[in-house]
């Protein structure tokens, strides 16, 4: 399935290492959670990037001690209706400060793109190739966000306060949506 | 009224555009039904027995006359000239076409109305006391908190794909009119010993297949912490509730399985991480929201003006309506007026487009253009000058919404049942209609006092039968409609689940059985003002059971 | 969710395939020539599990015309025409058993006091 990163399709550098196989030298690998935890010290000695595929029914706190040495965490949406990995993503980003690649895998559809990006995912393993082209428009679909999440968009509540302390010279509707649009465009092309 | 600003308007308009795109992709075949269903549900669109149904949120039950006219318009233009007010401050249209839905939603959006999160496994419309802002027994206006929570939970990036639906209710009054104890989260604003106001937090209430009364997990939560605390509850729920079984995925099951104390510990642990983060409420944010709830410029008036007292003496019918449908207001000289959507032979909660338009006009004339929607499926005018009551009464009566049966036996709460709903096992509306005919005598109804009948057409309990004083649940037995009767449930601050009377009875016997139960109450009550639930509480269901099953 | 095709089919009498039309949700029945009709009279009636399964497979494959296809029981009336086999199907076929909308305005204050 195509991987979208920063709005573009990218090649997957990683190989998935199944439970018992040794990690191939010099190639970035994604290791299943159980094996990684059983043998973390050894695996982290791998001579290329290491990622972990983390199931959605296991607390991400278990990964916390290793996050600064992990290049990638892949979270899974077995169906798009199962939203556990949104919580895991926010915890990894906002609580444990994970800065590596946070990859959404499973049934990843365009109608979830905005939620996924806002929860902190930066790479989406898209289920339908046809959804790839929809990425930019899906991210521009909304310009108003009622709540803050860790990904940096400003909540409507904050913008309201800012507005009331700074007089707005342009028409209020255009002012807010274009300002928001600009900050959003900045994020998309980041 | 909460006044939308450009942020609210932009978001709702963007939602309509998104839904239009999704409907287009469904019709073109780009989206399968499995993919489309959760998306349409999150916009309040169900596929029912005969047609699509659109559920529109009426946040905290507050409508402007303009919004009510828009609902009338949607009924007329896209549906069959009527709508159905539900038990959760929503309205449903039963005959809408998928092809028309984007246009209907665009029309609604122009009046600040939408169907966002009125269904699906997300945080649903946040409900509260329909008398918020005007009830004499409230400590503050609960709608401000409902609105803060509404905004916080709308299109939430983490909680839009929860294990199951999630319902939050807020009350700030001594008498709980929002049924907070049968919600996933109930928030009760109250004053602590030090005189500060804050929330008691209740979780895990709910009806349906496995009914529970909510458990209190925090007696007092400072107001600044309400968003972070709700976030912590939702995060624990999202991660740890069951997802393998639809019937076990509500938070009530998680709270029950873990135990309320263990659940509370999980929440507290999560909350410690986030309580002082960005979700801690800035008083300026609260003030900004509060400032957008506008209150009318009330005139300085006295209570009980002479025109009122005169007509009460002159016309017993007016007096009866006044005693029944008119309630005290915070402000002297004003009153809260309930509009009964329970006429004899009517479908509970239904209003025609013509009625909605007429009510909107009357609201402009007599209630500062504001209408409220309660969980009892009635409407209310929150700001009526008492001196206007005689005129208003005549006008409401001409519209058919002045039946003086509010809170009485014929003020029945009922879901749409098998006449409309694809989940139902049995009909609810004709049972309600028959009961309103049996109890048409308002002298008898008044003598019976407060008596709430609640009817659900299936175990999902949209008619809240578990908490009806008399609860009626439709079930299917060998292809026939049967009904289980429960007694002495209640949804208020002393919420309790009803007790099963005995074996289910067939459709043709339900009204007889209910009449029998009521007749037994009249005989068994200790004094004329012992209410139905007090009598059942005192003597149990046995005497009722003996009487009902001896005769049937 | 289990697809309707994976569910066990028990057919003990005459059945039809029914669904709701995608565009407006109207109740429709699968016809013998592989189309949909809003009239139960036009429905293909079968009475064995394999025949019902075949009819259902065609209906499910046509997910763009109609939604949620399933097997519904019918009875054959004295005139040989299919009639809905249970209350739910009767209501789907002929509409709600109650009048749509609130009743005509019946002023409450006329009720005896």
């Amino acid at each position: 399935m195509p991987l979208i990163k920063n709005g573009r399709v990218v090649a997957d550098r990683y190989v998935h290492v199944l439970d018992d196989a040794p990690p191939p030298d010099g190639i970035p690998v994604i290791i299943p959670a159980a094996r990684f935890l059983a043998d973390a010290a050894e695996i982290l000695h791998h001579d290329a990037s290491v990622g972990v595929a983390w199931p959605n029914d296991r607390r991400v706190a278990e990964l916390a001690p290793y996050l600064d040495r992990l290049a990638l965490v892949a979270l899974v949406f077995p169906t798009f209706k199962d939203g556990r990995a949104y919580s895991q993503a926010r915890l990894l980003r906002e609580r444990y400060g994970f800065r590596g690649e946070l990859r959404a895998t499973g049934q990843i559809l365009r109608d979830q793109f905005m939620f996924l990006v806002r929860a902190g995912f930066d790479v989406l393993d898209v289920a339908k190739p046809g959804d790839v082209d929809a990425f930019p428009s899906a991210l521009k679909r909304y310009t108003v966000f009622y709540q803050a999440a860790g990904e940096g968009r400003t909540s409507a509540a904050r913008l309201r306060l800012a507005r009331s302390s700074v007089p707005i010279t342009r028409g209020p509707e255009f002012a807010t949506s274009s300002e928001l649009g600009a900050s959003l465009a900045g994020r998309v092309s980041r | 009224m909460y006044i939308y600003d450009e942020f609210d308007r932009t978001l709702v308009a963007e939602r309509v555009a998104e839904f239009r795109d999704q409907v287009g992709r469904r019709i073109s075949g780009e989206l399968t039904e499995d993919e489309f269903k959760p998306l349409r549900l999150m916009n309040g669109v169900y596929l029912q027995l005969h047609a699509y149904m659109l559920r529109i949120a009426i946040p905290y039950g507050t409508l402007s006359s303009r919004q009510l006219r828009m609902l009338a318009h949607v009924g007329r233009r896209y549906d069959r000239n009527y709508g159905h007010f539900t038990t959760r401050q929503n309205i449903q249209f039963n005959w809408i076409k998928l092809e028309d839905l984007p246009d209907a939603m665009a029309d609604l959006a122009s009046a600040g109305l939408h169907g966002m999160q009125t269904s699906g496994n997300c945080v649903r419309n946040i409900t509260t006391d329909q008398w918020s802002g005007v009830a004499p027994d409230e400590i503050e206006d609960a709608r401000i908190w409902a609105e803060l929570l509404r905004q916080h939970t709308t299109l939430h990036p983490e909680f839009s794909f929860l294990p199951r639906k999630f319902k939050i209710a807020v009350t700030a009054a001594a008498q709980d009119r929002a049924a907070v104890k049968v919600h996933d989260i109930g928030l009760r604003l109250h004053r602590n010993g030090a005189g500060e106001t804050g929330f008691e937090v209740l979780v895990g209430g709910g009806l349906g297949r496995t009914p529970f009364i909510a458990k209190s997990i925090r007696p007092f939560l400072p107001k600044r912490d309400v968003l972070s605390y709700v976030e912590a509850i939702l995060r624990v729920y999202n991660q740890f509730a069951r997802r393998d079984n639809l019937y076990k995925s509500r938070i009530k099951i998680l709270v029950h399985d873990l135990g309320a104390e263990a659940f509370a510990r999980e929440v507290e642990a999560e909350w410690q991480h986030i309580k002082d983060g960005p979700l801690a409420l800035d008083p300026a944010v609260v003030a900004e929201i509060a400032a957008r709830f506008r209150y009318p410029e009330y005139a300085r008036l006295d209570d009980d003006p002479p025109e009122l007292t005169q007509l009460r003496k002159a016309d017993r019918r007016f007096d009866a309506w006044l005693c029944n449908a008119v309630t005290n207001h915070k402000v002297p000289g004003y009153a809260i007026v309930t509009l009964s959507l329970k006429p004899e032979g009517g479908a509970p909660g239904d209003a025609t487009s013509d009625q909605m338009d007429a009510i909107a006009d009357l609201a402009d004339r007599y209630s500062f253009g504001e209408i409220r929607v309660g969980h009892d499926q009635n409407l209310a005018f929150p700001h009526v000058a008492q001196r206007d009551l005689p005129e208003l009464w005549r006008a409401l009566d001409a519209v058919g919404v002045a039946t003086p049966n509010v809170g009485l036996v014929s003020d029945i709460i009922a879901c749409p049942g098998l006449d409309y709903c694809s989940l139902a096992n049995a009909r609810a509306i004709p049972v309600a209609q028959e009961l309103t005919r049996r109890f048409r005598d308002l002298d008898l109804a008044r003598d019976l006092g407060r008596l709430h009948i609640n009817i659900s057409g299936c175990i999902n309990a949209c008619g809240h039968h578990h908490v009806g004083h008399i609860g009626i649940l439709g079930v299917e037995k060998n292809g026939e409609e049967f009904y289980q009767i429960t007694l002495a449930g209640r949804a208020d601050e002393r919420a309790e689940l009803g007790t099963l009377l005995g074996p289910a009875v067939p459709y043709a016997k339900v009204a007889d059985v209910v009449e029998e139960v009521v007749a037994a109450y009249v005989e068994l009550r200790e004094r004329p003002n012992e209410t139905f639930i007090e009598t059942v509480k005192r003597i149990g269901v046995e005497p009722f059971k003996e009487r009902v099953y001896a005769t049937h | 969710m289990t697809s309707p095709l994976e569910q066990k089919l028990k057919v003990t009498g005459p059945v039809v395939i029914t669904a709701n039309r995608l565009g407006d949700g109207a109740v429709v029945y699968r016809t013998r020539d592989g189309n949909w009709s809003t009239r139960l009279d036009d429905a293909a009636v079968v009475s064995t599990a394999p025949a019902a399964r075949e009819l259902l497979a065609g209906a499910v494959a046509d997910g763009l015309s109609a939604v949620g296809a399933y097997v519904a029981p019918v009875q054959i009336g004295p005139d040989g025409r299919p009639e809905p086999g249970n209350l739910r199907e009767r209501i789907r076929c002929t509409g709600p058993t109650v009048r749509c909308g609130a009743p005509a305005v019946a002023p409450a204050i006329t009720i005896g006091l």
Side-chain angles (χ1 to χ4, degrees):
Chain A
M1 294 298 140
L3 282 186
I4 304 184
K5 184 171 189 175
N6 296 337
R8 281 202 301 274
V9 177
V10 294
D12 192 353
R13 302 190 296 124
Y14 287 83
V15 297
H16 285 265
V17 175
L18 300 177
D19 279 339
D20 294 330
D25 287 344
I27 297 176
V29 289
I30 298 176
I31 309 283
R35 174 166 176 204
F36 174 78
L37 290 177
D39 203 7
E42 177 65 29
I43 291 168
L44 287 167
H45 275 112
H46 181 57
D47 61 354
S49 300
V50 174
V52 174
W54 197 255
N56 72 355
D57 57 357
R58 194 159 185 163
R59 292 184 194 239
V60 290
E62 287 183 76
L63 261 186
Y66 313 106
L67 286 174
D68 55 350
R69 283 165 290 163
L70 285 174
L72 173 151
V73 177
L75 299 177
V76 60
F77 295 82
T79 82
F80 70 93
K81 291 180 272 189
D82 183 340
R84 280 176 275 197
Y86 291 107
S87 288
Q88 294 178 315
R90 288 195 69 195
L91 290 173
L92 284 171
R93 288 288 195 227
E94 297 170 38
R95 180 159 310 158
Y96 302 111
F98 179 60
R99 290 281 157 259
E101 174 176 331
L102 192 52
R103 184 181 288 194
T105 68
Q107 197 184 12
I108 304 300
L109 303 175
R110 77 163 83 161
D111 298 287
Q112 282 72 49
F113 288 173
M114 177 60 91
F115 294 120
L116 291 163
V117 169
R118 295 204 66 209
F121 290 100
D122 57 346
V123 175
L124 311 181
D125 189 354
V126 175
K128 289 183 178 179
D131 279 355
V132 168
D133 292 341
F135 186 82
S137 60
L139 255 70
K140 279 185 216 139
R141 176 66 73 198
Y142 289 96
T143 58
V144 171
F145 304 94
Y146 274 137
Q147 61 295 100
E151 39 71 83
R153 286 179 178 78
T154 313
S155 71
R158 283 283 146 214
L159 290 173
R160 281 176 178 133
L161 288 187
R163 176 191 56 182
S164 59
S165 57
V166 181
I168 293 167
T169 48
R170 291 162 290 177
E173 244 147 330
F174 291 106
T176 43
S177 48
S178 62
E179 274 162 23
L180 279 163
S183 69
L184 199 61
R187 286 195 57 81
V188 174
S189 57
R190 175 175 55 122
Chain B
M1 288 301 307
Y2 171 77
I3 310 292
Y4 264 41
D5 66 6
E6 69 275 18
F7 293 101
D8 306 293
R9 283 193 293 272
T10 303
L11 189 135
V12 173
E14 288 169 347
R15 179 63 155 190
V16 173
E18 178 183 48
F19 188 62
R20 196 180 287 281
D21 171 60
Q22 289 165 342
V23 170
R25 282 190 281 139
R26 174 67 188 113
I27 288 173
S28 76
E30 240 182 288
L31 285 175
T32 65
E33 187 60 20
D34 274 356
E35 289 163 350
F36 180 60
K37 188 177 172 185
L39 304 176
R40 67 166 157 80
L41 287 176
M42 272 193 261
N43 286 285
V45 179
Y46 286 76
L47 183 50
Q48 295 289 28
L49 288 184
H50 323 279
Y52 289 94
M53 181 200 92
L54 173 61
R55 180 182 291 158
I56 298 155
I58 301 165
Y60 30 86
T62 300
L63 275 177
S64 67
S65 55
R66 175 165 172 253
Q67 290 176 319
L68 186 56
R69 279 190 201 95
M70 181 52 71
L71 295 174
H73 158 80
V74 167
R76 211 172 267 128
R77 171 102 185 253
Y78 304 103
D79 208 273
R80 297 193 179 172
N81 290 310
Y82 70 100
H84 171 76
F85 289 96
T86 75
T87 53
R88 289 205 78 257
Q89 298 180 322
N90 297 307
I91 184 171
Q92 297 175 175
F93 290 102
N94 290 300
W95 301 96
I96 208 149
K97 295 181 171 72
L98 183 65
E99 298 145 342
D100 285 344
L101 273 161
D103 289 341
M105 286 185 177
D107 289 358
L108 289 162
S110 72
L113 290 165
H114 59 79
M116 270 188 280
Q117 299 185 196
T118 56
S119 179
N121 295 336
C122 49
V123 179
R124 302 287 188 87
N125 187 26
I126 290 161
T127 56
T128 181
D129 188 344
Q130 72 270 24
W131 295 347
S132 288
V134 292
D137 65 338
E138 73 178 13
I139 58 168
E140 60 181 84
D141 191 338
R143 293 176 303 168
I144 292 158
W145 302 98
E147 176 59 21
L148 277 159
L149 285 160
R150 181 191 78 81
Q151 296 194 13
H152 181 66
T153 55
T154 294
L155 299 182
H156 196 291
E158 184 178 348
F159 305 129
S160 292
F161 299 90
L162 293 170
R164 269 302 258 141
K165 58 187 166 183
F166 202 91
K167 301 176 181 178
I168 303 177
V170 191
T171 181
Q175 196 195 334
D176 175 12
R177 288 173 287 266
V180 301
K181 290 191 173 175
V182 291
H183 277 78
D184 295 291
I185 296 180
L187 295 169
R188 189 178 71 83
L189 258 176
H190 65 109
R191 235 178 232 113
N192 68 4
E196 304 152 328
T197 51
F199 295 95
E200 180 187 9
V201 182
L202 301 118
V203 293
L207 301 174
R209 189 172 299 253
T210 324
F212 283 110
I213 299 297
K215 281 109 185 158
S216 179
I217 58 166
R218 199 163 225 281
F220 188 85
L221 179 75
K223 291 196 282 193
R224 79 181 271 277
D225 296 324
V226 69
L227 294 187
S228 59
Y229 206 81
V230 166
E231 184 104 334
I233 293 172
L234 283 165
R235 184 168 283 164
V236 169
Y237 171 59
N238 188 42
Q239 293 185 93
F240 303 117
R242 289 180 61 170
R243 297 214 182 222
D244 59 329
N245 183 336
L246 186 70
Y247 301 116
K248 298 191 172 176
S249 49
R250 294 289 292 270
I251 197 173
K252 61 192 174 185
I253 305 293
L254 180 65
V255 171
H256 179 76
D257 287 353
L258 283 179
E261 282 172 25
F263 178 81
R265 277 197 299 278
E266 282 283 350
V267 170
E268 291 282 332
E270 177 57 38
W271 183 55
Q272 288 307 321
H273 289 287
I274 57 176
K275 66 197 276 275
D276 298 317
L279 292 182
L281 270 169
D282 180 342
V285 167
V286 181
E288 202 280 332
I289 295 286
R292 281 191 294 127
F293 281 89
R294 303 284 159 80
Y295 300 91
E297 307 250 334
Y298 295 110
R300 292 175 65 93
L301 300 171
D302 290 327
D303 278 333
D304 299 317
E307 48 269 59
L308 207 64
T309 1
Q310 279 157 21
L311 188 61
R312 289 187 69 174
K313 281 199 197 108
D315 194 330
R316 280 189 57 208
R317 298 167 308 166
F318 175 69
D319 187 54
W321 174 78
L322 189 111
C323 293
N324 174 261
V326 179
T327 314
N328 292 338
H329 198 280
K330 259 184 182 174
V331 177
Y334 283 85
I336 306 168
V337 174
T338 299
L339 283 58
S340 169
L341 295 183
K342 317 291 176 70
E344 183 189 329
D350 277 16
T352 64
S353 287
D354 287 349
Q355 284 179 313
M356 289 187 238
D357 274 338
I359 291 166
D361 290 347
L362 293 174
D364 280 338
R365 203 171 322 149
Y366 299 107
S367 181
F368 294 91
E370 195 174 319
I371 302 101
R372 301 294 182 87
V373 184
H375 91 282
D376 54 355
Q377 298 179 295
N378 289 320
L379 303 180
F381 280 178
H383 320 284
V384 178
Q386 293 174 16
R387 64 180 180 204
D388 291 339
L389 286 169
E391 252 178 69
L392 176 62
W393 169 61
R394 290 187 189 97
L396 291 176
D397 188 49
V399 181
V401 293
T403 312
N405 64 347
V406 177
L408 303 181
V409 63
S410 55
D411 182 4
I412 296 169
I413 289 174
C415 71
L418 189 56
D419 283 299
Y420 295 97
C421 178
S422 63
L423 299 173
N425 298 119
R427 285 171 294 167
I429 296 169
V431 175
Q433 290 173 319
E434 178 59 18
L435 287 169
T436 62
R437 287 182 204 111
R438 301 282 179 107
F439 294 104
R440 66 189 300 174
D441 179 346
L442 286 160
D443 284 327
L444 169 69
R446 261 191 300 281
D447 174 65
L448 298 173
R450 279 197 93 76
L451 211 179
H452 301 169
I453 298 180
N454 290 53
I455 311 173
S456 302
C458 79
I459 193 67
N460 291 303
C462 295
H464 297 180
H465 62 276
H466 301 101
V467 289
H469 298 174
I470 298 178
I472 302 175
L473 163 65
V475 294
E476 189 236 289
K477 272 193 191 175
N478 305 321
E480 303 283 321
E481 294 165 290
F482 274 73
Y483 295 83
Q484 289 179 359
I485 316 280
T486 50
L487 300 186
R490 58 194 296 175
D492 59 7
E493 61 284 356
R494 288 154 65 194
E496 245 183 275
L497 303 172
T499 308
L500 190 64
L501 182 66
V505 297
Y507 177 80
K509 291 259 192 257
V510 188
D512 293 346
V513 167
V514 172
E515 273 196 314
E516 204 70 60
V517 166
V518 172
Y521 152 66
V522 172
E523 280 171 28
L524 294 164
R525 64 184 169 187
E526 245 178 1
R527 45 177 209 282
N529 64 351
E530 186 182 50
T531 62
F532 178 80
I533 34 177
E534 285 166 352
T535 304
V536 183
K537 205 80 208 146
R538 179 171 56 79
I539 61 176
V541 300
E542 272 312 309
F544 293 89
K545 186 174 181 173
E546 278 164 25
R547 174 151 177 169
V548 165
Y549 293 96
T551 35
H552 291 282
Chain C
M1 207 186 301
T2 328
S3 133
L5 294 175
E6 291 159 13
Q7 283 161 13
K8 250 206 155 80
L9 257 187
K10 222 175 102 190
V11 175
T12 54
V15 296
V16 297
I17 306 300
T18 183
N20 291 81
R21 194 157 59 196
L22 177 67
D24 63 359
V27 175
V28 287
Y29 301 95
R30 191 73 174 169
T31 62
R32 217 160 266 293
D33 58 2
N35 285 314
W36 295 97
S37 169
T38 52
R39 289 158 31 97
L40 180 54
D41 276 356
D42 298 337
V45 180
V46 296
S47 38
T48 67
R53 193 183 310 279
E54 195 189 327
L55 204 53
L56 183 62
V60 168
D62 182 17
L64 204 50
S65 305
V67 176
Y70 64 94
V71 178
V74 288
Q75 288 159 3
I76 303 302
D79 54 359
R81 287 151 59 157
E83 292 167 4
N86 59 36
L87 177 63
R88 179 188 154 96
E89 290 307 321
R90 197 157 70 239
I91 290 172
R92 285 183 78 244
C93 188
T94 55
T97 65
V98 292
R99 202 145 50 98
C100 288
V105 172
I109 49 180
T110 57
I111 295 170
L113 274 158

